[in-house]
Amino acid sequence: MQSQKKLINSVDCCVDEALCGLVRANGGLCLMKGHRVVLRSDLENLRGKVALLSGGGSGHEPAHGGYVGAGMLSAAVAGGVFASPPPASILAAILSLHNAGTSGVLLIVKNYTGDRLNFGLAAEQARNYGVAIDMVIVAEDCAFDRPSKAGRRGLCGTVFIHKLAGALAEEGCSLDQIVSKITEVLKGIGTLGVSLSPCSVPGCLPSFDLPPGDMELGLGIHGEPGIKRSKLASADEVMKTMIDHMTNPDSLSHLPLKSGDSVVVCVNNLGALSCLEMAVVTRAAVVCLENRGVVIARVMSGSFMTSLEMAGVSLTLMKASQETLRLFDAKTTASAWPNISSVCATGRRYMSDPPAVSTRPQDDKYSEGPLSPVMRKMLEKVCATLLEKQEELNSLDRAAGDGDCGNTHAQAARAIMEWLQDHVVPGCPGQLLTVLAGLMQEKMGGSSGALYSLFLTAAAGHVTEEQSNAASWARAMDAGTQAMRRYGGADPGDRTMLDALCPAVNELNKCATAPSAGHLAILQAAVQKATLGAEETRNLTAQAGRASYIAAERVTLPDPGAIAVAAILRAVLEVLEVEK
């Protein structure tokens, strides 16, 4: 077993450098020289108010330094990684707050022996300096059915206490009032953690061994193992297990929770879960609680009290009265406190309706027109051609891509044929192009589907039932080609379908000034130029698409996309020659 890689400069300096990084990134904070103490840089604004001091071992970032700010902590003192801070630093922080003219100092301490001893010793020393001081112990861990004499551990629920006590202090409440209110709130807070991996203190081996596929329930935040090990289950199952355990009335450390109760939910990343996993777990927590009839007043989800790089999550629930929510919603400048919505999560309409406009034009109803029969014949001819060329296009694509160009074009052809069986061809060419764009987008897939859909969508606005002459079709083709170039990033000469399409469009643009009798000849010339352009791609070096990643000397066959475009244009021409 090896120690985990850490992006630090040295084991000895990592805590001090982390604290320096925190204050250098936040103008509202400063560091006390000679101590690992983070202070508000505006201590003068604390005059006459109660100051709040918390802290503990490092490795739980953003706790506790990230919660220093107006409306939360006045200062935080840090120990080494997972080590309680020394009494001398705690006392230095207390005296700095006292000397700023505060009316008293409240210590908020997690229930670990080292923290209790060191903060307790500093509190006793501070009293000898005439400081009005008190201590609140946070012990909200729900893991143990029968807690030992050491009692329940202090976990992420501590962050809730920072917030509520900070709001009370900001409002000018006395030390006794704050202690009284916070002690009452603590009775309604519970936390439970689950881990998929251990963590490792810098320079050390992992804190415990957890086989792949296993998870640990009820672990602490210092890497100490939990109460139960089991196989990893789904997020929904894990969350149900956690909530069942937290609220089990047979446990002496359970959180009494019944239907109709209102709670604040904190889903806390223990260090290494991805944001995607955190969102999945948050949904699972919300759904599980609401299925029990619990009203979710607020939700916070993110990294609030971590355990280095542990892959795991803790769930904290706090029973919420209107007064609790008022304090919870109060403003704070603490950098790690999230921007939480003050809207009750339960009962909020969180799904919006889709747009009234159809996003699947292929499902809409259309009317036939004079152009419908010839456009149907064109489509049938194009589809037959693409199916016929499937293997040829695949073969060309295997030389420079993933070998599926024929398959994707055949997929598109089958989608069009299927649509033709059940639908009339609209008399408006623009409507037909919009339908085809929808089919390409949905059925063709890949970059080809997106490119054809772009082309057809951009072209659709230039041809209507009334405006459907050769010149308008040329404008439509030009608009579609420009859209492909704009969004696809390729140009003629880059060995793509544009090398067949652009020469054809340039020829078709002559329709704008040529007499109608010459339009078919222009189309014939355009198809010839497309065919020639496609053939000449064998001599080009790919600058876009998958072929651009292949060595040029290995790409000696024509580009399959360009060959497909030339074949489509030729199929259209053949139908028009017969119709003429």
Side-chain angles (χ1 to χ4, degrees):
M1 192 161 55
Q2 296 180 329
S3 58
Q4 294 289 313
K5 289 184 282 189
K6 311 280 187 189
L7 192 58
I8 58 175
N9 293 312
S10 76
V11 171
D12 293 337
C13 297
C14 63
V15 169
D16 296 298
E17 291 179 348
L19 291 171
C20 182
L22 172 66
V23 300
R24 291 304 300 268
N26 193 318
L29 304 179
C30 63
L31 266 177
M32 184 185 292
K33 192 177 294 184
H35 295 279
R36 290 168 170 168
V37 175
V38 176
L39 294 156
R40 282 176 57 173
S41 52
D42 63 342
L43 290 184
E44 65 277 4
N45 289 332
L46 291 173
R47 181 170 296 278
K49 295 179 180 177
V50 172
L52 305 183
L53 174 65
S54 189
S58 297
H60 305 305
E61 291 75 18
H64 296 274
Y67 301 117
V68 176
M72 286 191 80
L73 299 179
S74 312
V77 56
V81 175
F82 293 171
S84 181
S89 291
I90 300 171
L91 179 61
I94 293 169
L95 294 177
S96 287
L97 297 173
H98 175 67
N99 293 340
T102 59
S103 62
V105 178
L106 176 62
L107 305 182
I108 300 171
V109 181
K110 299 189 300 302
N111 189 30
Y112 292 97
T113 303
D115 286 354
R116 291 181 71 132
L117 289 173
N118 290 342
F119 276 88
L121 175 54
E124 291 303 316
Q125 292 169 337
R127 285 193 180 96
N128 293 334
Y129 285 94
V131 180
I133 194 163
D134 207 339
M135 184 188 297
V136 169
I137 303 291
V138 182
E140 92 289 10
D141 180 18
C142 292
F144 299 99
D145 293 341
R146 300 289 182 273
S148 66
K149 188 174 182 179
R152 300 161 68 185
R153 298 169 293 192
L155 301 173
C156 192
T158 311
V159 179
F160 283 165
I161 299 305
H162 294 339
K163 183 66 184 67
L164 302 182
L168 289 166
E170 196 70 23
E171 291 175 0
C173 290
S174 70
L175 184 58
D176 288 344
Q177 287 173 322
I178 296 172
V179 170
S180 174
K181 290 182 179 182
I182 290 304
T183 302
E184 193 58 33
V185 169
L186 273 168
K187 297 174 184 176
I189 302 180
T191 298
L192 188 68
V194 66
S195 177
L196 318 183
S197 79
C199 61
S200 62
V201 173
C204 300
L205 293 174
S207 51
F208 58 90
D209 181 36
L210 190 59
D214 281 9
M215 65 179 189
E216 190 99 19
L217 183 71
L219 72 168
I221 54 171
H222 302 100
E224 65 266 43
I227 55 164
K228 179 184 176 186
R229 185 170 290 186
S230 60
K231 290 298 177 187
L232 178 61
S234 69
D236 286 347
E237 291 170 316
V238 170
M239 194 49 62
K240 182 179 184 306
T241 299
M242 292 174 73
I243 293 172
D244 285 346
H245 186 90
M246 292 174 71
T247 59
N248 179 6
D250 294 334
S251 168
L252 293 180
S253 62
H254 80 285
L255 176 69
L257 198 63
K258 64 183 185 300
S259 178
D261 283 348
S262 180
V263 298
V264 176
V265 176
C266 177
V267 183
N268 171 54
N269 191 343
L270 288 171
L273 287 191
S274 65
C275 292
L276 185 143
E277 290 167 282
M278 282 297 296
V280 169
V281 172
T282 300
R283 173 206 159 274
V286 169
V287 170
C288 184
L289 287 165
E290 286 186 336
N291 286 343
R292 292 165 170 254
V294 175
V295 176
I296 298 170
R298 303 287 186 273
V299 181
M300 52 194 288
S301 176
S303 298
F304 306 111
M305 186 173 286
T306 62
S307 187
L308 291 171
E309 81 286 9
M310 184 178 285
V313 66
S314 68
L315 178 70
T316 301
L317 304 176
M318 175 174 69
K319 290 189 175 182
S321 64
Q322 285 305 308
E323 171 66 1
T324 304
L325 292 177
R326 185 184 69 80
L327 298 171
F328 185 84
D329 292 340
K331 298 295 182 187
T332 176
T333 63
S335 60
W337 185 256
N339 184 19
I340 300 168
S341 167
S342 59
V343 177
C344 184
T346 297
R348 180 179 74 86
R349 185 171 180 264
Y350 64 94
M351 286 283 194
S352 69
D353 294 324
V357 63
S358 171
T359 55
R360 298 187 82 253
Q362 58 269 37
D363 290 342
D364 293 347
K365 300 291 183 187
Y366 299 99
S367 301
E368 287 186 289
L371 297 173
S372 297
V374 68
M375 290 195 294
R376 178 177 284 272
K377 287 177 184 175
M378 284 182 193
L379 286 178
E380 288 169 346
K381 181 67 173 177
V382 167
C383 291
T385 300
L386 292 177
L387 290 170
E388 183 185 307
K389 284 189 167 288
Q390 181 174 354
E391 189 42 51
E392 178 190 339
L393 295 175
N394 279 343
S395 179
L396 291 172
D397 196 28
R398 278 193 286 272
D402 51 6
D404 69 344
C405 182
N407 291 352
T408 54
H409 280 80
Q411 218 165 289
R414 282 190 285 270
I416 294 170
M417 290 167 65
E418 195 176 304
W419 183 85
L420 285 172
Q421 287 176 5
D422 303 321
H423 297 82
V424 301
V425 173
C428 173
Q431 289 179 341
L432 176 60
L433 295 184
T434 301
V435 166
L436 294 175
L439 290 171
M440 298 305 98
Q441 180 180 317
E442 187 176 281
K443 303 290 187 179
M444 191 173 189
S447 55
S448 294
L451 285 166
Y452 276 110
S453 189
L454 265 172
F455 176 90
L456 293 161
T457 301
H462 294 271
V463 278
T464 63
E465 198 164 353
E466 297 75 30
Q467 190 72 26
S468 182
N469 54 31
S472 60
W473 275 102
R475 285 194 296 274
M477 295 278 288
D478 190 60
T481 304
Q482 293 309 318
M484 290 173 82
R485 292 180 65 174
R486 182 162 58 252
Y487 296 108
D491 291 302
D494 287 347
R495 200 181 190 276
T496 69
M497 63 172 73
L498 288 173
D499 291 304
L501 191 54
C502 287
V505 170
N506 289 339
E507 187 67 26
L508 288 172
N509 283 336
K510 294 177 182 178
C511 291
T513 55
S516 57
H519 289 169
L520 185 61
I522 292 173
L523 178 56
Q524 289 167 336
V527 171
Q528 286 175 348
K529 290 199 172 183
T531 304
L532 182 62
E535 277 300 321
E536 287 181 346
T537 57
R538 68 171 70 240
N539 303 317
L540 296 175
T541 299
Q543 301 295 330
R546 278 201 177 90
S548 62
Y549 306 119
I550 312 292
E553 59 271 16
R554 291 179 53 195
V555 184
T556 58
L557 297 173
D559 177 68
I563 293 292
V565 165
I568 291 168
L569 292 175
R570 184 163 295 280
V572 170
L573 172 63
E574 288 173 3
V575 171
L576 288 177
E577 285 175 332
V578 171
E579 290 295 314
K580 197 73 174 176

